Amino acid sequence: PIVLVPGGTFSFNYNPAGNLVLDGGETHTNVVTVTGVDDEGTSDTGTDNHTITATDVAPVIDIVKGGPASIAEGGADVTWTFTITNNSVSTDPITVTALNDDKLGNLLAAAIAANGGNPIILQAGQSFSFNYNPDGNLVLDAGQTHTNVVTVTGEDDEGSTATADDDHVITGTNVAPVIDIVKGGPATITEGGADVTWSFTITNNSV
């Protein structure tokens, strides 16, 4: 039993199982009550409270951009993939507020359309992926590279923002050239000889 003489104290620590989970700015207050009885049987009660306040942790967002590593010179229809992930602490959902590519432009509308027209709100650990296929072909020469960078911005439930970017490189691969020649001339000449002229047409049928 815990018996305290006048002026005596007793201290102990208590660590419950699991974690205390709070959102940024949220408080947790708990009150402890103690009752004691003296040697005459008279009881007394004391209480105290303690408040814990959660400090805000900056959100963490990530984006991964994918696509073909190479295309044949001359051009190809290219589709890029984008995966956005909320890597924040467990209490922070993130709303994607901006998505821009330095070559493809503003992609936020395309991403929202791929999400059924709904805002992209990611819980901690959740990802969202979509594809984007712009009009026309990407045209590269052999050995030429095309690099574009995408940047995503998100906001958590405390209004703090996070930004991430990723790039993707596509290289044009060599395609063998194609050349053609057509030779023409008279199909016949009279016996005894004739002055003959041949014609030649050379065409580049390469990409």
Side-chain angles (χ1 to χ4, degrees):
I2 303 169
V3 180
L4 302 176
V5 299
T9 60
F10 170 76
S11 299
F12 73 104
N13 298 322
Y14 180 69
N15 176 236
N19 290 343
L20 175 62
V21 179
L22 299 176
D23 202 2
E26 184 181 357
T27 60
H28 174 90
T29 301
N30 52 352
V31 180
V32 63
T33 301
V34 63
T35 300
V37 179
D38 68 9
D39 54 352
E40 287 84 36
T42 304
S43 65
D44 190 31
T45 298
T47 61
D48 193 23
N49 67 75
H50 182 76
T51 300
I52 300 174
T53 303
T55 57
D56 188 37
V57 175
V60 181
I61 198 170
D62 187 47
I63 188 165
V64 176
K65 180 178 183 179
S70 62
I71 60 172
E73 65 172 327
D77 186 21
V78 174
T79 297
W80 283 271
T81 63
F82 303 88
T83 299
I84 305 167
T85 303
N86 178 1
N87 287 324
S88 306
V89 295
S90 64
T91 54
D92 272 355
I94 282 183
T95 300
V96 176
T97 57
L99 184 63
N100 292 287
D101 188 283
D102 66 340
K103 299 290 197 304
L104 302 175
N106 188 341
L107 300 179
L108 184 59
I112 290 174
N115 197 39
N118 301 306
I120 302 167
I121 302 173
L122 303 175
Q123 301 302 316
Q126 188 178 8
S127 295
F128 170 76
S129 297
F130 74 103
N131 297 326
Y132 184 70
N133 175 239
D135 293 334
N137 288 349
L138 175 62
V139 178
L140 297 176
D141 200 1
Q144 184 182 358
T145 59
H146 174 91
T147 302
N148 51 348
V149 181
V150 65
T151 302
V152 63
T153 301
E155 183 175 295
D156 70 8
D157 54 348
E158 286 88 37
S160 301
T161 60
T163 299
D165 58 64
D166 193 27
D167 65 355
H168 183 73
V169 179
I170 300 175
T171 302
T173 58
N174 186 47
V175 175
V178 179
I179 196 169
D180 188 49
I181 188 167
V182 176
K183 180 179 181 180
T188 61
I189 61 171
T190 58
E191 63 177 325
D195 185 18
V196 174
T197 298
W198 283 270
S199 64
F200 303 86
T201 302
I202 304 170
T203 303
N204 178 4
N205 288 323
S206 305
V207 295

